[in-house]
């Protein structure tokens, strides 16, 4: 599939989708506390999405059974909500969600501490978030795609953490996953030139230990191979003639 350049009308619809998704994340943050189950987080999230007139884009996607990916501690992404899985003080939880609004998609993820977390774990979350912003500093017309990747990797590794290499960001629009793929590390080459109207989901996934991951027997949940904690931060952005615009942050 070729990279699609979005029209102003399409970008406006994705902007609306992004605002709704940002509000869902803001409201989900308020319910994160010790004792809540990952299934309750998913239920509340789906309710918010549908009440806003959107479709939860993850539910049923390639068979995924929930609306919110809820990943705890060493779970990197795609954790499946479960009524028996309760959050405990000191855990971290990553929430990844997507919405479809008038046929256009937005995708965003956040990682939160549950109650009080230790300083190094908080630093993992903060570095992951900041690496996203370091990456989009490079998301400008005339730069190349892997300039984003290199900026994320350089910042993460300078802080003593590692970027997951088996999972990548992606283009987004009418489909959740469009071209191009966006690694969070610098591959060989420069990648394509960035042009106005490209819409991208940039999503650093950062491990406290090594970058290796594997998938559990449920065929969805990705965990760190060494059992270290992992954090995730993602937004949908659009490349403009000036600075990139974040569509899923309010």
């Amino acid at each position: 599939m070729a990279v699609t350049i979005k029209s102003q009308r399409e970008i406006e619809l994705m902007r609306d989708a992004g605002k709704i998704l940002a509000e869902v994340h803001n409201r989900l943050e308020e319910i994160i506390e010790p004792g809540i189950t990952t299934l309750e987080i998913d239920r509340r999230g789906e309710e918010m999405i549908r009440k806003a007139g959107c479709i939860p884009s993850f539910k049923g996607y390639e068979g995924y059974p929930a609306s919110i990916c809820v990943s705890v501690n060493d779970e990197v992404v795609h954790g499946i909500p479960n009524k028996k899985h309760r959050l405990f003080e000191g855990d971290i939880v990553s929430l990844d969600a997507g919405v479809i609004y008038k046929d256009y998609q937005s995708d965003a993820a956040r990682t939160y501490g549950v109650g009080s977390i230790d300083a190094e774990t908080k630093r993992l979350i903060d570095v992951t978030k900041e690496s996203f912003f370091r990456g989009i500093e490079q998301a400008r017309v005339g730069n190349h795609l892997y300039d984003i990747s290199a900026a994320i990797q350089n910042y993460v590794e300078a802080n003593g953490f590692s970027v997951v290499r088996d999972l990548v960001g992606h283009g987004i629009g009418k489909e959740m996953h469009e071209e191009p793929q966006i690694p969070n590390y610098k591959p060989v080459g420069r990648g394509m030139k960035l042009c106005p109207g490209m819409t991208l989901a940039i999503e650093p996934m950062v491990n406290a230990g090594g970058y290796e991951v594997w998938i559990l027997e449920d065929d969805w949940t990705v965990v760190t191979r060494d059992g270290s904690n992992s954090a995730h931060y993602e937004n949908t952005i659009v490349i403009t003639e000036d600075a990139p615009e974040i569509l899923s942050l309010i």
Side-chain angles (χ1 to χ4, degrees):
M1 186 196 306
V3 174
T4 60
I5 302 299
K6 309 304 190 296
S7 68
Q8 284 304 309
R9 175 187 168 276
E10 290 176 306
I11 291 168
E12 188 58 43
L13 289 171
M14 292 184 69
R15 189 178 286 122
D16 290 340
K19 287 177 181 175
I20 292 166
L21 182 54
E23 180 62 27
V24 169
H25 271 295
N26 289 347
R27 291 170 62 192
L28 286 175
E29 181 180 12
E30 295 172 358
I31 70 170
I32 299 299
E33 61 181 6
I36 194 170
T37 67
T38 57
L39 186 63
E40 176 67 8
I41 295 168
D42 174 65
R43 186 189 69 78
R44 298 278 289 275
E46 180 174 347
E47 186 178 86
M48 293 173 196
I49 290 168
R50 293 193 186 278
K51 190 172 286 188
C54 294
I55 298 169
S57 53
F58 290 7
K59 192 159 193 177
Y61 182 79
E62 295 186 354
Y64 185 75
S67 297
I68 314 292
C69 294
V70 186
S71 306
V72 182
N73 295 335
D74 66 332
E75 296 172 351
V76 181
V77 286
H78 305 158
I80 297 176
N82 188 304
K83 66 181 180 181
K84 296 181 180 179
H85 193 168
R86 294 188 181 276
L87 300 184
F88 292 96
E89 184 92 11
D91 284 345
I92 60 173
V93 58
S94 298
L95 307 182
D96 190 0
V99 303
I100 304 171
Y101 176 74
K102 296 183 179 178
D103 294 330
Y104 284 85
Q105 306 223 13
S106 189
D107 189 2
R110 309 281 187 264
T111 300
Y112 304 113
V114 181
S116 178
I117 61 174
D118 64 70
E120 186 65 2
T121 302
K122 183 178 186 307
R123 195 172 74 85
L124 172 66
I125 294 172
D126 292 344
V127 166
T128 303
K129 180 176 180 178
E130 178 61 22
S131 73
F132 165 86
F133 288 98
R134 297 297 178 103
I136 69 163
E137 285 177 5
Q138 304 302 317
R140 294 175 181 270
V141 173
N143 281 3
H144 290 262
L145 186 68
Y146 296 160
D147 293 334
I148 299 171
S149 306
I152 290 170
Q153 179 181 18
N154 290 342
Y155 183 76
V156 168
E157 293 181 352
N159 278 277
F161 300 127
S162 61
V163 291
V164 173
R165 299 184 177 217
D166 291 348
L167 301 155
V168 297
H170 50 90
I172 184 170
K174 279 195 166 183
E175 303 295 329
M176 187 195 313
H177 294 118
E178 298 183 353
E179 291 296 331
Q181 293 191 349
I182 310 165
N184 294 306
Y185 66 96
K186 174 67 167 64
V188 173
R190 298 190 297 173
M192 66 177 58
K193 267 199 166 184
L194 301 176
C195 302
M198 287 182 173
T199 46
L200 310 173
I202 297 172
E203 51 177 323
M205 290 156 271
V206 177
N207 296 345
Y211 64 76
E212 298 88 353
V213 299
W214 56 13
I215 300 176
L216 298 184
E217 290 181 358
D218 62 19
D219 289 331
W220 278 106
T221 308
V222 179
V223 299
T224 59
R225 188 170 285 272
D226 60 12
S228 62
N229 280 346
S230 186
H232 186 193
Y233 189 83
E234 175 186 21
N235 281 302
T236 298
I237 74 161
V238 59
I239 305 294
T240 75
E241 291 286 1
D242 299 310
E245 179 186 351
I246 303 174
L247 301 177
S248 54
L249 189 64
I250 55 175

